Amino acid sequence: KAHAANVIWTTNEQTNGRLWISTTNPAPTNGTPNRTDSGMSYFHNLRVDSLVANTQYFYGVSSTDKAGNVSTTATGSFFTPSM
């Protein structure tokens, strides 16, 4: 059985959201993201499926406001439980 995770973050103005996830630290925050949310919102909740059990994952998120200003976070991490 594969695992899934939700990465959640908020912004102080309406933005879209992009999520990169990797087993490499730091997760790359360039290129094609693993998940995107093109809607403009203060609250972002992106789900990643098919994660491997007992593995450390690293993630980075990026948000762009209506004016085109981009904000990218530092990398976070989490572990998936064993099966």
Side-chain angles (χ1 to χ4, degrees):
K1 178 182 173 187
H3 291 280
N6 288 57
V7 177
I8 300 168
W9 73 100
T10 60
T11 52
N12 64 354
E13 60 183 308
Q14 291 189 345
T15 66
N16 64 19
R18 289 176 301 285
L19 168 66
W20 291 266
I21 195 158
S22 174
T23 55
T24 304
N25 186 14
T29 53
N30 55 12
T32 303
N34 298 89
R35 292 305 230 197
T36 60
D37 176 10
S38 59
M40 302 300 272
S41 177
Y42 295 98
F43 179 80
H44 307 278
N45 181 354
L46 295 177
R47 179 181 173 96
V48 180
D49 296 305
S50 302
L51 300 175
V52 176
N54 200 31
T55 302
Q56 184 173 18
Y57 285 92
F58 300 90
Y59 65 89
V61 298
S62 177
S63 302
T64 304
D65 67 13
K66 292 177 184 178
N69 301 308
V70 179
S71 176
T72 303
T73 69
T75 299
S77 69
F78 62 89
F79 283 92
T80 53
S82 59
M83 297 264 206

